[in-house]
Amino acid sequence: MSGVLDPLRLKAREAKRLLVDGEVSAAELTKVYLDQIAAVEERVHAFIRVTADNAAKYSTKIDREMQAMRGPLAGLPLAVKDNMVTEGVTTTCASRILHDYAPVYTATAVRKLWDAHVVMLGKTNLDEFAMGSSTENSSVQVTGNPWDLATVPGGSSGGSAAAVAAGEALWALGSDTGGSIRQPAALCGIVGMKPTYGAVSRYGLIAFASSLDQIGPLTRSVYDCALLLRHIVGKDPYDATSVELPFEVELPEGDRLDGLTVGIPGEYLALGIEPGVRARFDETVALVEELGGRCVEISLPHTEYGLPAYYIIAPAEASANLARFDGVRYGHRAEGAEDLLEMYERTRGEGFGAEVKRRIMIGTYALSAGYYDAYYGRAQRVRTLVRRDFARAFEGVDLIVSPTSPTVAFRAGSRTDDPLAMYMSDLCTIPVNLAGLPALSIPCGLSDGLPVGFQLIGPAFSENRLLKAAHALEGALGFETAPTFRDSAASSDAADAARSVAARAAADGAPPAPPGEASS
Amino acid sequence: MITDDDVRYVARLARLRLEPGEAERMTGELAKILEHIGKMSELDTADVPPTAHVLDVVNVMRPDKPRPSLTRDDALKNAPAVADDSFRVPRMG
């Protein structure tokens, strides 16, 4: 059976049916993905660590103990971004400072999926501590976009997005602080969702910016997105900012948008959206109307202030959160320091990469005496203005739509020398995090052979409305194209050399127990 | 305008040793980023309350009852140096 399963096209909904009907075993399904990893990972570099042995053993156990292991997601293979701690499996955040960190507990979102008997395939690459928009800030390796390996997969959940797009995983978890699920999903031609702030526990998500971070799904369809989301949401005693959703996440149905009013923010379209992206966006808006939706122009007047506010708030929170990496309790420690202060400074100087240092510096500066009001205080007030923009807009519309990213996937190396140019990748996604809203990106076509993402934003706790609308639109768009693994830089070997900074250095250490074992 | 000395001072606050030349390079990068951030000052925010948290959650309490937590062995498992069941660090300066 597994011979006819195409990992580039198979969706979780179909895989689940095949498993339930006994047409495929969990072990066979897992092997489909491990085989695809063996075939393409050398070029994609989506994983920091592949837990192949554990995945094979665990899936066999599911088949053997079918009565006891009938979790709602039993046997469905998953990839997890390597900033969620997993007991028994090294968690690195793609940072030198955590290169051998062996967590002694498991993130709640991952634990819930293990309890539902998903099969974890491995931990995926990211920008170090999730700080970046291209996954090039990883200290481990640079991930290639399966649509053109010379371009980036987006970031910071670039490893998870590339793994799903490349058929190396059925679906994946990512985290989104300023667009880190939606932007890579857009650039890799898949679905990615950031839930309402608080909907998913952040316990065990290594903190970047606590008031913005949120875990969410990266999948090959909107239905799959809802299916994964419904198993990770909920209030968690270990995360005081988590909340119980006032509803159950519904599996979306229907193909119409009748009665739905959709707002198009003029300010977003003025943000230097490239023509190919704009064309796909306009076509998709036309499709919304064909399906019975009504599109109106709206204004979110403080849009252009979102990015500056974000680049104070996120680094300020990061500078506090990353203070814990000091060489005392875990992670890297500099050798031979004379005293404690020297040990701290050298450990952190050696352990963090350039972008992480830059953000710690901005954050520390913004919080330092004399600058607090001018930067952090003001940014928090601007955050209120951004929230009010959305609140006002949602008085007149049900959803807001925009391009997810102003551009398609860009070439590796093309923005690394200019931090500000890289930050611009997230112009359309950042305001959503500032306001704590749910949003998702669906693929809406190609421009120059590369995927374009269409973002739908809803009011807080409108997940079901968002998923239903995205599902209807997805059906009408009919985007079923699979990536080709072409490499537009293939003529120069240099590109490939640059890509494997340290190819999967960590891939060998065998963790002690199959993931999920400890939970039973 | 941020100076090399500011950058060295902030690096000290952040307990971050910068390599020779790194401070100077960072001064230029931070200046450019802060210039962009300065755009916020176009707005009059005097009467706008700050947002620290987007949800209306208040203090989250639980009964003050002891319950199992991380064992000492687990807590020390990832430590670079351990002595007498404690984290071992270099002497204070």
Side-chain angles (χ1 to χ4, degrees):
Chain A
M1 178 68 218
S2 60
V4 302
L5 294 180
D6 177 1
L8 289 173
R9 294 175 198 281
L10 183 65
K11 297 175 179 73
R13 180 183 202 168
E14 175 71 357
K16 188 175 150 112
R17 191 191 63 75
L18 293 170
L19 283 165
V20 169
D21 293 352
E23 290 182 42
V24 66
S25 70
E28 285 169 335
L29 186 63
T30 297
K31 190 170 181 301
V32 168
Y33 293 95
L34 294 177
D35 286 351
Q36 179 73 352
I37 290 171
V40 305
E41 177 61 6
E42 207 176 73
R43 286 176 288 157
V44 179
H45 303 297
F47 286 88
I48 289 177
R49 179 179 298 263
V50 177
T51 50
D53 287 352
N54 285 342
K57 271 188 219 148
Y58 189 63
S59 59
T60 307
K61 188 178 152 100
I62 291 172
D63 290 331
R64 205 175 49 230
E65 299 174 26
M66 263 165 71
Q67 294 312 313
M69 302 187 69
R70 291 170 95 159
L73 303 180
L76 299 173
L78 171 89
V80 175
K81 188 179 184 181
D82 204 25
N83 61 348
M84 288 169 230
V85 297
T86 42
E87 188 176 0
V89 181
T90 305
T91 300
T92 69
C93 262
S95 180
R96 280 188 297 276
I97 213 159
L98 281 179
H99 68 98
D100 60 355
Y101 176 58
V104 293
Y105 67 106
T106 299
T108 297
V110 178
R111 164 67 61 205
K112 283 176 176 242
L113 296 178
W114 286 2
D115 288 349
H117 301 130
V118 301
V119 176
M120 189 172 85
L121 296 163
K123 304 294 290 291
T124 56
N125 198 27
L126 63 152
D127 289 295
E128 182 179 5
F129 286 104
M131 296 179 192
S133 310
S134 68
T135 312
E136 291 169 288
N137 295 332
S138 167
S139 75
V140 180
Q141 62 197 354
V142 173
T143 299
N145 187 320
W147 291 84
D148 177 356
L149 296 163
T151 68
V152 302
S156 65
S157 310
S160 283
V164 173
E168 295 180 277
L170 180 60
W171 51 11
L173 285 183
S175 67
D176 190 315
T177 305
S180 280
I181 290 174
R182 290 159 287 155
Q183 184 257 15
L187 270 46
C188 288
I190 61 168
V191 175
M193 181 173 202
K194 182 201 96 71
T196 304
Y197 181 84
V200 181
S201 168
R202 291 180 295 109
Y203 180 67
L205 171 67
I206 296 176
F208 160 16
S210 308
S211 79
L212 304 164
D213 296 341
Q214 192 61 192
I215 292 173
L218 293 116
T219 62
R220 207 166 285 115
S221 76
V222 176
Y223 183 97
D224 288 3
C225 180
L227 182 60
L228 194 54
L229 180 67
R230 74 190 311 193
H231 291 290
I232 59 174
V233 294
K235 187 168 175 57
D236 177 8
Y238 294 117
D239 175 3
T241 63
S242 65
V243 292
E244 202 62 58
L245 288 183
F247 53 85
E248 182 140 327
V249 176
E250 288 164 16
L251 299 174
E253 291 173 4
D255 52 13
R256 297 285 301 171
L257 297 173
D258 297 311
L260 196 78
T261 306
V262 173
I264 300 163
E267 291 85 358
Y268 281 53
L269 300 179
L271 292 173
I273 308 295
E274 69 181 22
V277 171
R278 179 63 195 262
R280 293 298 88 73
F281 175 75
D282 290 344
E283 290 159 16
T284 311
V285 166
L287 208 50
V288 169
E289 301 211 303
E290 276 177 42
L291 296 179
R294 191 169 66 90
C295 295
V296 295
E297 230 183 271
I298 59 160
S299 174
L300 297 169
H302 297 95
T303 295
E304 60 179 325
Y305 301 99
L307 192 74
Y310 177 87
Y311 274 98
I312 288 297
I313 291 168
E317 294 185 15
S319 72
N321 275 324
L322 271 58
R324 61 172 62 94
F325 302 104
D326 58 5
V328 174
R329 289 162 298 164
Y330 31 65
H332 172 73
R333 174 187 288 190
E335 300 277 345
E338 293 283 315
D339 62 35
L340 189 59
L341 184 62
E342 185 191 340
M343 190 279 280
Y344 289 155
E345 292 186 335
R346 282 185 33 209
T347 292
R348 291 162 62 78
E350 293 168 10
F352 293 133
E355 180 62 23
V356 174
K357 286 183 191 173
R358 210 176 279 136
R359 299 213 195 177
I360 290 175
M361 291 290 289
I362 296 172
T364 307
Y365 179 75
L367 292 175
S368 65
Y371 295 103
Y372 184 93
D373 287 337
Y375 287 114
Y376 191 66
R378 185 174 289 269
Q380 284 189 308
R381 291 167 203 279
V382 174
R383 187 173 184 180
T384 303
L385 295 174
V386 171
R387 289 176 66 200
R388 284 180 182 169
D389 281 358
F390 280 113
R392 218 162 279 143
F394 283 125
E395 285 170 13
V397 300
D398 300 307
L399 297 175
I400 294 171
V401 299
S402 79
T404 308
S405 161
T407 69
V408 292
F410 45 93
R411 286 216 151 214
S414 64
R415 295 186 190 174
T416 40
D417 291 337
D418 185 353
L420 213 50
M422 189 69 89
Y423 297 170
M424 298 295 174
S425 312
D426 299 324
L427 278 170
C428 303
T429 48
I430 274 174
V432 174
N433 297 74
L434 290 173
L437 305 176
L440 82 167
S441 177
I442 61 172
C444 66
L446 299 175
S447 166
D448 293 333
L450 293 168
V452 175
F454 185 81
Q455 178 175 236
L456 299 95
I457 306 166
F461 304 112
S462 67
E463 272 80 355
N464 283 338
R465 186 194 302 170
L466 265 176
L467 288 161
K468 193 166 186 286
H471 174 76
L473 203 47
E474 174 187 56
L477 282 160
F479 182 85
E480 289 286 342
T481 324
T484 56
F485 301 93
R486 76 187 163 98
D487 186 344
S488 66
S491 49
S492 68
D493 294 343
D496 204 50
R499 204 167 300 122
S500 23
V501 179
R504 282 207 294 156
D508 300 317
E517 285 283 79
S519 67
S520 49
Chain B
M1 193 66 176
I2 192 165
T3 65
D4 290 351
D5 283 345
D6 291 336
V7 166
R8 276 187 280 266
Y9 170 70
V10 173
R12 192 84 183 167
L13 289 179
R15 301 286 184 260
L16 209 52
R17 172 158 301 186
L18 300 180
E19 297 303 313
E22 205 175 353
E24 292 72 18
R25 197 186 67 236
M26 211 174 262
T27 304
E29 289 169 353
L30 296 192
K32 209 172 147 193
I33 295 166
L34 289 170
E35 187 191 323
H36 179 74
I37 286 166
K39 190 171 178 53
M40 289 193 303
S41 59
E42 294 170 6
L43 294 171
D44 178 8
T45 55
D47 297 327
V48 181
T51 294
H53 192 79
V54 290
L55 297 178
D56 296 325
V57 288
V58 285
N59 288 339
V60 179
M61 313 293 261
R62 64 173 168 81
D64 186 19
K65 279 203 202 129
R67 53 179 182 176
S69 71
L70 217 54
T71 64
R72 180 178 294 169
D73 282 351
D74 275 350
L76 294 172
K77 191 178 157 192
N78 281 282
V82 172
D84 301 332
D85 286 337
S86 307
F87 298 108
R88 185 190 172 97
V89 295
R91 64 180 173 81
M92 310 284 283

